[in-house]
Amino acid sequence: MSNWAGDFECNQCGLKRLTAQSFSKKAIDNYRKHNKSLRCKSCVELSATLEREQATAKAQAQAQAQAQLSTQSQASDEAALVLCSSCDARLFPSNFNTNQLRKGSGKQRCRQCVTTAEDTAMVATSVAKNAKLKKAQEEVENTAKTGTAAQQLAASSKLSALEAELVTGLKPMKLGPKGRKAKGFLNK
């Protein structure tokens, strides 16, 4: 894939000529439909990391304050602990996001487990996209050696569609099974 220059600009860090791959799909949709400002994935991740750090610091401060003020019995302390469904650790509610606490027992995950899951999902998505693109590139190379003209065209079109999706953020649209001869299209 060549180095494409995009049409998008991050309003937070000021980087210009970014491709749609640098932004979330929802951000691109909001930009196109409602002309909302764009923030690149790295700026969003940075602000989310800062927010998590602030929340963790606040939670630790609250936990220390609770520990100092707590003169109740150990049984009541254990009743106040919440079980994380991912790591099976019993933690204070301050170690959980409000949304996670609302989910109810058996579905709650602590902040650390949520962060780990988000990071894993982001890496898996990136790896899958790169693998799909690499497979399409290999298919183009293989059909160039041994394929027919139709197979070469199909492979090149697939690769172009994947590269265009990275640049624009738009997935390719497939016309009906009959192309322009579909019912109601230019046939009056």
Side-chain angles (χ1 to χ4, degrees):
M1 180 176 91
S2 61
N3 292 330
W4 292 87
D7 254 350
F8 302 105
E9 178 180 342
C10 177
N11 290 338
Q12 186 170 346
C13 64
L15 290 177
K16 297 180 180 181
R17 296 185 59 144
L18 296 172
T19 60
Q21 183 182 12
S22 302
F23 302 93
S24 69
K25 182 172 175 29
K26 188 171 185 174
I28 295 291
D29 289 344
N30 283 335
Y31 175 74
R32 288 192 172 120
K33 290 178 183 175
H34 308 293
N35 202 23
K36 291 194 175 186
S37 62
L38 287 172
R39 289 191 318 159
C40 63
K41 288 180 182 177
S42 58
C43 289
V44 170
E45 182 62 33
L46 179 65
S47 63
T49 302
L50 291 174
E51 187 176 327
R52 278 190 217 112
E53 288 173 358
Q54 290 173 350
T56 303
K58 183 178 176 183
Q60 288 175 348
Q62 288 176 347
Q64 288 176 355
Q66 284 178 347
Q68 291 174 357
L69 297 176
S70 178
T71 56
Q72 299 173 350
S73 69
Q74 190 173 4
S76 64
D77 284 344
E78 288 179 11
L81 296 177
V82 179
L83 179 67
C84 175
S85 63
S86 291
C87 63
D88 293 328
R90 295 185 80 59
L91 304 167
F92 286 106
S94 59
N95 292 324
F96 292 83
N97 189 334
T98 308
N99 293 338
Q100 291 294 324
L101 288 173
R102 287 185 192 145
K103 288 185 177 183
S105 62
K107 297 180 182 178
Q108 302 164 335
R109 295 184 296 167
C110 63
R111 284 192 173 114
Q112 186 176 2
C113 291
V114 170
T115 303
T116 304
E118 287 176 353
D119 292 344
T120 304
M122 188 168 47
V123 168
T125 302
S126 176
V127 167
K129 282 184 180 181
N130 289 338
K132 195 174 185 181
L133 187 62
K134 186 173 182 175
K135 182 179 177 186
Q137 289 170 340
E138 290 172 357
E139 188 177 334
V140 167
E141 291 171 4
N142 290 340
T143 56
K145 294 176 184 174
T146 60
T148 64
Q151 291 171 334
Q152 291 175 3
L153 178 63
S156 295
S157 296
K158 184 178 179 180
L159 177 62
S160 295
L162 289 173
E163 288 177 343
E165 184 180 345
L166 290 177
V167 174
T168 64
L170 299 173
K171 291 192 176 190
M173 290 181 58
K174 223 177 196 181
L175 294 177
K178 298 178 184 176
R180 293 185 138 199
K181 295 180 182 179
K183 188 175 182 179
F185 186 73
L186 296 178
N187 296 341
K188 293 184 179 180

